[in-house]
Amino acid sequence: MAFLIPLTIARIPEVQSLPTAMRARILSNAKAPGPIRLWFFNFVRGVLCTLVLTLLGHNLGLGSLAALSSVAFIIGVLLISMAIAHTWTITRIRGQIRFGIEEASRGSRTPICTSCGYDCSEINSDQCPECGVSRQIPDTSG
Ligand SMILES: [Zn+2]
């Protein structure tokens, strides 16, 4: 299976397969930002990271680059920083969403595979048919 980072929280496979009521609760518990806030934060982090790297680059002698190369360098660094910030945010929130799904499924099976995001709600098996991971969540609360 390809390793994909969706562009918004709503496109994470586990989120898409969740029943609507459960989705709203889990997203709010994970403090998942909407697409605009998510990308605004990515942009801010990207700019901060670019400022630091540009300063470092300047001290390392990249300050002698031609204007066009400098602009290309800065834009490149900005895009890469934003991609890293986005990957980090999605991975973190995905972890919280999976945790939320498991919390909500204590003592039974998860409706969605928390390993690959496969929709298991119609499947009567303890294992995910897609990746074979156990769907059984032990009830450890009491
Ligand atoms: Zn799976």
PDB file of all heavy atoms in Angstrom, residues 105-138:
ATOM      1  N   SER A 105     -13.988   2.092  20.988  1.00  0.00           N
ATOM      2  CA  SER A 105     -14.309   0.697  20.665  1.00  0.00           C
ATOM      3  C   SER A 105     -13.871  -0.255  21.770  1.00  0.00           C
ATOM      4  O   SER A 105     -13.757  -1.454  21.523  1.00  0.00           O
ATOM      5  CB  SER A 105     -13.619   0.295  19.354  1.00  0.00           C
ATOM      6  OG  SER A 105     -13.835   1.245  18.366  1.00  0.00           O
ATOM      7  N   ARG A 106     -13.620   0.251  22.967  1.00  0.00           N
ATOM      8  CA  ARG A 106     -13.164  -0.608  24.074  1.00  0.00           C
ATOM      9  C   ARG A 106     -14.104  -1.793  24.269  1.00  0.00           C
ATOM     10  O   ARG A 106     -15.310  -1.633  24.310  1.00  0.00           O
ATOM     11  CB  ARG A 106     -13.094   0.189  25.371  1.00  0.00           C
ATOM     12  CG  ARG A 106     -11.943   1.141  25.418  1.00  0.00           C
ATOM     13  CD  ARG A 106     -11.192   1.087  26.741  1.00  0.00           C
ATOM     14  NE  ARG A 106      -9.940   1.811  26.641  1.00  0.00           N
ATOM     15  CZ  ARG A 106      -8.831   1.265  26.139  1.00  0.00           C
ATOM     16  NH1 ARG A 106      -8.824   0.013  25.722  1.00  0.00           N
ATOM     17  NH2 ARG A 106      -7.728   1.976  26.057  1.00  0.00           N
ATOM     18  N   GLY A 107     -13.523  -2.992  24.407  1.00  0.00           N
ATOM     19  CA  GLY A 107     -14.310  -4.188  24.657  1.00  0.00           C
ATOM     20  C   GLY A 107     -14.984  -4.739  23.415  1.00  0.00           C
ATOM     21  O   GLY A 107     -15.746  -5.692  23.498  1.00  0.00           O
ATOM     22  N   SER A 108     -14.727  -4.150  22.251  1.00  0.00           N
ATOM     23  CA  SER A 108     -15.305  -4.691  21.023  1.00  0.00           C
ATOM     24  C   SER A 108     -14.302  -4.525  19.881  1.00  0.00           C
ATOM     25  O   SER A 108     -13.107  -4.376  20.120  1.00  0.00           O
ATOM     26  CB  SER A 108     -16.631  -3.989  20.705  1.00  0.00           C
ATOM     27  OG  SER A 108     -16.405  -2.613  20.520  1.00  0.00           O
ATOM     28  N   ARG A 109     -14.806  -4.523  18.657  1.00  0.00           N
ATOM     29  CA  ARG A 109     -13.916  -4.360  17.500  1.00  0.00           C
ATOM     30  C   ARG A 109     -14.000  -2.938  16.975  1.00  0.00           C
ATOM     31  O   ARG A 109     -15.050  -2.310  17.037  1.00  0.00           O
ATOM     32  CB  ARG A 109     -14.333  -5.309  16.372  1.00  0.00           C
ATOM     33  CG  ARG A 109     -14.232  -6.771  16.713  1.00  0.00           C
ATOM     34  CD  ARG A 109     -14.937  -7.532  15.613  1.00  0.00           C
ATOM     35  NE  ARG A 109     -14.907  -8.976  15.841  1.00  0.00           N
ATOM     36  CZ  ARG A 109     -15.830  -9.798  15.365  1.00  0.00           C
ATOM     37  NH1 ARG A 109     -16.842  -9.320  14.652  1.00  0.00           N
ATOM     38  NH2 ARG A 109     -15.739 -11.085  15.585  1.00  0.00           N
ATOM     39  N   THR A 110     -12.909  -2.449  16.426  1.00  0.00           N
ATOM     40  CA  THR A 110     -12.927  -1.121  15.809  1.00  0.00           C
ATOM     41  C   THR A 110     -13.685  -1.187  14.485  1.00  0.00           C
ATOM     42  O   THR A 110     -13.543  -2.153  13.733  1.00  0.00           O
ATOM     43  CB  THR A 110     -11.506  -0.610  15.528  1.00  0.00           C
ATOM     44  OG1 THR A 110     -10.838  -1.560  14.688  1.00  0.00           O
ATOM     45  CG2 THR A 110     -10.702  -0.428  16.797  1.00  0.00           C
ATOM     46  N   PRO A 111     -14.513  -0.177  14.175  1.00  0.00           N
ATOM     47  CA  PRO A 111     -15.237  -0.178  12.899  1.00  0.00           C
ATOM     48  C   PRO A 111     -14.301   0.069  11.714  1.00  0.00           C
ATOM     49  O   PRO A 111     -14.636  -0.261  10.584  1.00  0.00           O
ATOM     50  CB  PRO A 111     -16.242   0.967  13.049  1.00  0.00           C
ATOM     51  CG  PRO A 111     -15.654   1.852  14.101  1.00  0.00           C
ATOM     52  CD  PRO A 111     -14.846   0.983  15.013  1.00  0.00           C
ATOM     53  N   ILE A 112     -13.156   0.676  12.011  1.00  0.00           N
ATOM     54  CA  ILE A 112     -12.187   1.004  10.968  1.00  0.00           C
ATOM     55  C   ILE A 112     -10.840   0.462  11.406  1.00  0.00           C
ATOM     56  O   ILE A 112     -10.472   0.577  12.574  1.00  0.00           O
ATOM     57  CB  ILE A 112     -12.117   2.531  10.781  1.00  0.00           C
ATOM     58  CG1 ILE A 112     -13.349   2.994   9.990  1.00  0.00           C
ATOM     59  CG2 ILE A 112     -10.871   2.972  10.044  1.00  0.00           C
ATOM     60  CD1 ILE A 112     -14.196   3.912  10.723  1.00  0.00           C
ATOM     61  N   CYS A 113     -10.115  -0.136  10.487  1.00  0.00           N
ATOM     62  CA  CYS A 113      -8.792  -0.647  10.826  1.00  0.00           C
ATOM     63  C   CYS A 113      -7.915   0.535  11.223  1.00  0.00           C
ATOM     64  O   CYS A 113      -7.765   1.487  10.462  1.00  0.00           O
ATOM     65  CB  CYS A 113      -8.189  -1.391   9.641  1.00  0.00           C
ATOM     66  SG  CYS A 113      -6.501  -1.919   9.969  1.00  0.00           S
ATOM     67  N   THR A 114      -7.334   0.486  12.438  1.00  0.00           N
ATOM     68  CA  THR A 114      -6.508   1.604  12.881  1.00  0.00           C
ATOM     69  C   THR A 114      -5.089   1.492  12.354  1.00  0.00           C
ATOM     70  O   THR A 114      -4.244   2.328  12.652  1.00  0.00           O
ATOM     71  CB  THR A 114      -6.490   1.705  14.423  1.00  0.00           C
ATOM     72  OG1 THR A 114      -6.157   0.440  14.949  1.00  0.00           O
ATOM     73  CG2 THR A 114      -7.822   2.157  14.948  1.00  0.00           C
ATOM     74  N   SER A 115      -4.839   0.450  11.560  1.00  0.00           N
ATOM     75  CA  SER A 115      -3.520   0.329  10.963  1.00  0.00           C
ATOM     76  C   SER A 115      -3.504   0.838   9.527  1.00  0.00           C
ATOM     77  O   SER A 115      -2.619   1.581   9.136  1.00  0.00           O
ATOM     78  CB  SER A 115      -3.067  -1.126  11.012  1.00  0.00           C
ATOM     79  OG  SER A 115      -1.822  -1.261  10.397  1.00  0.00           O
ATOM     80  N   CYS A 116      -4.521   0.445   8.729  1.00  0.00           N
ATOM     81  CA  CYS A 116      -4.509   0.856   7.319  1.00  0.00           C
ATOM     82  C   CYS A 116      -5.706   1.724   6.949  1.00  0.00           C
ATOM     83  O   CYS A 116      -5.770   2.236   5.842  1.00  0.00           O
ATOM     84  CB  CYS A 116      -4.438  -0.360   6.406  1.00  0.00           C
ATOM     85  SG  CYS A 116      -5.943  -1.331   6.367  1.00  0.00           S
ATOM     86  N   GLY A 117      -6.667   1.896   7.859  1.00  0.00           N
ATOM     87  CA  GLY A 117      -7.804   2.758   7.575  1.00  0.00           C
ATOM     88  C   GLY A 117      -8.935   2.088   6.820  1.00  0.00           C
ATOM     89  O   GLY A 117      -9.903   2.735   6.436  1.00  0.00           O
ATOM     90  N   TYR A 118      -8.846   0.774   6.623  1.00  0.00           N
ATOM     91  CA  TYR A 118      -9.878   0.041   5.885  1.00  0.00           C
ATOM     92  C   TYR A 118     -11.193   0.054   6.664  1.00  0.00           C
ATOM     93  O   TYR A 118     -11.198  -0.103   7.882  1.00  0.00           O
ATOM     94  CB  TYR A 118      -9.398  -1.402   5.655  1.00  0.00           C
ATOM     95  CG  TYR A 118     -10.251  -2.204   4.710  1.00  0.00           C
ATOM     96  CD1 TYR A 118     -10.080  -2.101   3.336  1.00  0.00           C
ATOM     97  CD2 TYR A 118     -11.211  -3.078   5.197  1.00  0.00           C
ATOM     98  CE1 TYR A 118     -10.855  -2.840   2.472  1.00  0.00           C
ATOM     99  CE2 TYR A 118     -11.995  -3.831   4.350  1.00  0.00           C
ATOM    100  CZ  TYR A 118     -11.819  -3.708   2.979  1.00  0.00           C
ATOM    101  OH  TYR A 118     -12.583  -4.448   2.123  1.00  0.00           O
ATOM    102  N   ASP A 119     -12.306   0.243   5.947  1.00  0.00           N
ATOM    103  CA  ASP A 119     -13.618   0.251   6.578  1.00  0.00           C
ATOM    104  C   ASP A 119     -14.056  -1.183   6.863  1.00  0.00           C
ATOM    105  O   ASP A 119     -14.389  -1.935   5.960  1.00  0.00           O
ATOM    106  CB  ASP A 119     -14.622   0.951   5.657  1.00  0.00           C
ATOM    107  CG  ASP A 119     -16.004   1.049   6.295  1.00  0.00           C
ATOM    108  OD1 ASP A 119     -16.173   0.568   7.441  1.00  0.00           O
ATOM    109  OD2 ASP A 119     -16.897   1.618   5.656  1.00  0.00           O
ATOM    110  N   CYS A 120     -14.046  -1.565   8.156  1.00  0.00           N
ATOM    111  CA  CYS A 120     -14.356  -2.946   8.556  1.00  0.00           C
ATOM    112  C   CYS A 120     -15.752  -3.049   9.148  1.00  0.00           C
ATOM    113  O   CYS A 120     -16.095  -4.070   9.740  1.00  0.00           O
ATOM    114  CB  CYS A 120     -13.338  -3.448   9.579  1.00  0.00           C
ATOM    115  SG  CYS A 120     -11.651  -3.480   8.992  1.00  0.00           S
ATOM    116  N   SER A 121     -16.582  -2.009   9.042  1.00  0.00           N
ATOM    117  CA  SER A 121     -17.860  -1.992   9.758  1.00  0.00           C
ATOM    118  C   SER A 121     -18.793  -3.117   9.309  1.00  0.00           C
ATOM    119  O   SER A 121     -19.619  -3.578  10.080  1.00  0.00           O
ATOM    120  CB  SER A 121     -18.531  -0.628   9.581  1.00  0.00           C
ATOM    121  OG  SER A 121     -18.643  -0.308   8.215  1.00  0.00           O
ATOM    122  N   GLU A 122     -18.670  -3.569   8.058  1.00  0.00           N
ATOM    123  CA  GLU A 122     -19.567  -4.615   7.540  1.00  0.00           C
ATOM    124  C   GLU A 122     -18.934  -5.998   7.660  1.00  0.00           C
ATOM    125  O   GLU A 122     -19.508  -6.981   7.187  1.00  0.00           O
ATOM    126  CB  GLU A 122     -19.891  -4.348   6.059  1.00  0.00           C
ATOM    127  CG  GLU A 122     -20.453  -2.961   5.772  1.00  0.00           C
ATOM    128  CD  GLU A 122     -21.832  -2.751   6.371  1.00  0.00           C
ATOM    129  OE1 GLU A 122     -22.661  -3.662   6.267  1.00  0.00           O
ATOM    130  OE2 GLU A 122     -22.048  -1.675   6.971  1.00  0.00           O
ATOM    131  N   ILE A 123     -17.751  -6.072   8.264  1.00  0.00           N
ATOM    132  CA  ILE A 123     -17.014  -7.335   8.249  1.00  0.00           C
ATOM    133  C   ILE A 123     -17.052  -7.986   9.619  1.00  0.00           C
ATOM    134  O   ILE A 123     -16.804  -7.357  10.639  1.00  0.00           O
ATOM    135  CB  ILE A 123     -15.568  -7.092   7.773  1.00  0.00           C
ATOM    136  CG1 ILE A 123     -15.611  -6.762   6.274  1.00  0.00           C
ATOM    137  CG2 ILE A 123     -14.689  -8.307   8.013  1.00  0.00           C
ATOM    138  CD1 ILE A 123     -14.571  -5.794   5.860  1.00  0.00           C
ATOM    139  N   ASN A 124     -17.383  -9.275   9.616  1.00  0.00           N
ATOM    140  CA  ASN A 124     -17.523 -10.008  10.863  1.00  0.00           C
ATOM    141  C   ASN A 124     -16.265 -10.839  11.106  1.00  0.00           C
ATOM    142  O   ASN A 124     -16.290 -12.058  11.048  1.00  0.00           O
ATOM    143  CB  ASN A 124     -18.772 -10.893  10.793  1.00  0.00           C
ATOM    144  CG  ASN A 124     -19.130 -11.436  12.160  1.00  0.00           C
ATOM    145  OD1 ASN A 124     -18.770 -10.842  13.173  1.00  0.00           O
ATOM    146  ND2 ASN A 124     -19.815 -12.554  12.182  1.00  0.00           N
ATOM    147  N   SER A 125     -15.160 -10.165  11.367  1.00  0.00           N
ATOM    148  CA  SER A 125     -13.904 -10.868  11.586  1.00  0.00           C
ATOM    149  C   SER A 125     -13.071 -10.080  12.584  1.00  0.00           C
ATOM    150  O   SER A 125     -13.204  -8.857  12.673  1.00  0.00           O
ATOM    151  CB  SER A 125     -13.159 -11.017  10.256  1.00  0.00           C
ATOM    152  OG  SER A 125     -11.781 -11.206  10.495  1.00  0.00           O
ATOM    153  N   ASP A 126     -12.241 -10.780  13.351  1.00  0.00           N
ATOM    154  CA  ASP A 126     -11.393 -10.097  14.322  1.00  0.00           C
ATOM    155  C   ASP A 126     -10.190  -9.436  13.671  1.00  0.00           C
ATOM    156  O   ASP A 126      -9.515  -8.627  14.282  1.00  0.00           O
ATOM    157  CB  ASP A 126     -10.911 -11.075  15.394  1.00  0.00           C
ATOM    158  CG  ASP A 126     -12.017 -11.360  16.417  1.00  0.00           C
ATOM    159  OD1 ASP A 126     -13.015 -10.616  16.413  1.00  0.00           O
ATOM    160  OD2 ASP A 126     -11.873 -12.322  17.182  1.00  0.00           O
ATOM    161  N   GLN A 127      -9.935  -9.810  12.417  1.00  0.00           N
ATOM    162  CA  GLN A 127      -8.784  -9.229  11.722  1.00  0.00           C
ATOM    163  C   GLN A 127      -9.237  -8.356  10.552  1.00  0.00           C
ATOM    164  O   GLN A 127     -10.260  -8.619   9.934  1.00  0.00           O
ATOM    165  CB  GLN A 127      -7.869 -10.335  11.170  1.00  0.00           C
ATOM    166  CG  GLN A 127      -6.751 -10.726  12.127  1.00  0.00           C
ATOM    167  CD  GLN A 127      -7.128 -11.961  12.915  1.00  0.00           C
ATOM    168  OE1 GLN A 127      -7.766 -12.852  12.383  1.00  0.00           O
ATOM    169  NE2 GLN A 127      -6.738 -11.994  14.179  1.00  0.00           N
ATOM    170  N   CYS A 128      -8.429  -7.352  10.290  1.00  0.00           N
ATOM    171  CA  CYS A 128      -8.666  -6.522   9.105  1.00  0.00           C
ATOM    172  C   CYS A 128      -8.379  -7.360   7.867  1.00  0.00           C
ATOM    173  O   CYS A 128      -7.305  -7.944   7.757  1.00  0.00           O
ATOM    174  CB  CYS A 128      -7.752  -5.299   9.157  1.00  0.00           C
ATOM    175  SG  CYS A 128      -7.640  -4.401   7.600  1.00  0.00           S
ATOM    176  N   PRO A 129      -9.327  -7.441   6.911  1.00  0.00           N
ATOM    177  CA  PRO A 129      -9.093  -8.251   5.711  1.00  0.00           C
ATOM    178  C   PRO A 129      -8.021  -7.654   4.804  1.00  0.00           C
ATOM    179  O   PRO A 129      -7.452  -8.336   3.959  1.00  0.00           O
ATOM    180  CB  PRO A 129     -10.463  -8.243   5.008  1.00  0.00           C
ATOM    181  CG  PRO A 129     -11.152  -7.038   5.521  1.00  0.00           C
ATOM    182  CD  PRO A 129     -10.629  -6.783   6.907  1.00  0.00           C
ATOM    183  N   GLU A 130      -7.748  -6.380   4.999  1.00  0.00           N
ATOM    184  CA  GLU A 130      -6.795  -5.687   4.132  1.00  0.00           C
ATOM    185  C   GLU A 130      -5.350  -5.897   4.589  1.00  0.00           C
ATOM    186  O   GLU A 130      -4.474  -6.170   3.790  1.00  0.00           O
ATOM    187  CB  GLU A 130      -7.144  -4.191   4.123  1.00  0.00           C
ATOM    188  CG  GLU A 130      -6.456  -3.375   3.071  1.00  0.00           C
ATOM    189  CD  GLU A 130      -6.980  -3.604   1.657  1.00  0.00           C
ATOM    190  OE1 GLU A 130      -7.947  -4.378   1.490  1.00  0.00           O
ATOM    191  OE2 GLU A 130      -6.385  -3.026   0.731  1.00  0.00           O
ATOM    192  N   CYS A 131      -5.113  -5.763   5.904  1.00  0.00           N
ATOM    193  CA  CYS A 131      -3.728  -5.848   6.374  1.00  0.00           C
ATOM    194  C   CYS A 131      -3.529  -6.904   7.460  1.00  0.00           C
ATOM    195  O   CYS A 131      -2.394  -7.176   7.854  1.00  0.00           O
ATOM    196  CB  CYS A 131      -3.238  -4.485   6.860  1.00  0.00           C
ATOM    197  SG  CYS A 131      -4.011  -3.931   8.382  1.00  0.00           S
ATOM    198  N   GLY A 132      -4.621  -7.508   7.969  1.00  0.00           N
ATOM    199  CA  GLY A 132      -4.486  -8.611   8.915  1.00  0.00           C
ATOM    200  C   GLY A 132      -4.281  -8.209  10.365  1.00  0.00           C
ATOM    201  O   GLY A 132      -4.126  -9.072  11.234  1.00  0.00           O
ATOM    202  N   VAL A 133      -4.326  -6.910  10.649  1.00  0.00           N
ATOM    203  CA  VAL A 133      -4.134  -6.438  12.020  1.00  0.00           C
ATOM    204  C   VAL A 133      -5.401  -6.738  12.839  1.00  0.00           C
ATOM    205  O   VAL A 133      -6.510  -6.699  12.316  1.00  0.00           O
ATOM    206  CB  VAL A 133      -3.795  -4.921  12.002  1.00  0.00           C
ATOM    207  CG1 VAL A 133      -4.121  -4.261  13.324  1.00  0.00           C
ATOM    208  CG2 VAL A 133      -2.340  -4.715  11.638  1.00  0.00           C
ATOM    209  N   SER A 134      -5.235  -7.054  14.131  1.00  0.00           N
ATOM    210  CA  SER A 134      -6.373  -7.357  14.995  1.00  0.00           C
ATOM    211  C   SER A 134      -7.239  -6.124  15.203  1.00  0.00           C
ATOM    212  O   SER A 134      -6.727  -5.029  15.421  1.00  0.00           O
ATOM    213  CB  SER A 134      -5.890  -7.881  16.337  1.00  0.00           C
ATOM    214  OG  SER A 134      -6.987  -8.027  17.209  1.00  0.00           O
ATOM    215  N   ARG A 135      -8.564  -6.316  15.151  1.00  0.00           N
ATOM    216  CA  ARG A 135      -9.491  -5.203  15.385  1.00  0.00           C
ATOM    217  C   ARG A 135     -10.030  -5.218  16.792  1.00  0.00           C
ATOM    218  O   ARG A 135     -10.760  -4.319  17.195  1.00  0.00           O
ATOM    219  CB  ARG A 135     -10.684  -5.317  14.425  1.00  0.00           C
ATOM    220  CG  ARG A 135     -10.335  -5.218  12.966  1.00  0.00           C
ATOM    221  CD  ARG A 135     -11.528  -5.652  12.141  1.00  0.00           C
ATOM    222  NE  ARG A 135     -12.733  -4.908  12.527  1.00  0.00           N
ATOM    223  CZ  ARG A 135     -13.979  -5.378  12.352  1.00  0.00           C
ATOM    224  NH1 ARG A 135     -14.180  -6.555  11.850  1.00  0.00           N
ATOM    225  NH2 ARG A 135     -15.001  -4.640  12.719  1.00  0.00           N
ATOM    226  N   GLN A 136      -9.692  -6.271  17.541  1.00  0.00           N
ATOM    227  CA  GLN A 136     -10.230  -6.447  18.878  1.00  0.00           C
ATOM    228  C   GLN A 136      -9.538  -5.489  19.855  1.00  0.00           C
ATOM    229  O   GLN A 136      -8.310  -5.464  19.933  1.00  0.00           O
ATOM    230  CB  GLN A 136      -9.997  -7.896  19.297  1.00  0.00           C
ATOM    231  CG  GLN A 136     -10.919  -8.386  20.383  1.00  0.00           C
ATOM    232  CD  GLN A 136     -12.343  -8.559  19.882  1.00  0.00           C
ATOM    233  OE1 GLN A 136     -12.546  -9.080  18.801  1.00  0.00           O
ATOM    234  NE2 GLN A 136     -13.311  -8.124  20.663  1.00  0.00           N
ATOM    235  N   ILE A 137     -10.332  -4.679  20.553  1.00  0.00           N
ATOM    236  CA  ILE A 137      -9.763  -3.760  21.543  1.00  0.00           C
ATOM    237  C   ILE A 137     -10.129  -4.281  22.931  1.00  0.00           C
ATOM    238  O   ILE A 137     -11.307  -4.366  23.270  1.00  0.00           O
ATOM    239  CB  ILE A 137     -10.300  -2.326  21.365  1.00  0.00           C
ATOM    240  CG1 ILE A 137     -10.068  -1.833  19.934  1.00  0.00           C
ATOM    241  CG2 ILE A 137      -9.660  -1.377  22.371  1.00  0.00           C
ATOM    242  CD1 ILE A 137      -8.634  -1.696  19.524  1.00  0.00           C
ATOM    243  N   PRO A 138      -9.136  -4.651  23.746  1.00  0.00           N
ATOM    244  CA  PRO A 138      -9.457  -5.162  25.088  1.00  0.00           C
ATOM    245  C   PRO A 138     -10.071  -4.065  25.946  1.00  0.00           C
ATOM    246  O   PRO A 138      -9.728  -2.897  25.825  1.00  0.00           O
ATOM    247  CB  PRO A 138      -8.100  -5.617  25.631  1.00  0.00           C
ATOM    248  CG  PRO A 138      -7.075  -4.916  24.816  1.00  0.00           C
ATOM    249  CD  PRO A 138      -7.696  -4.597  23.493  1.00  0.00           C
TER     250      PRO A 138
END
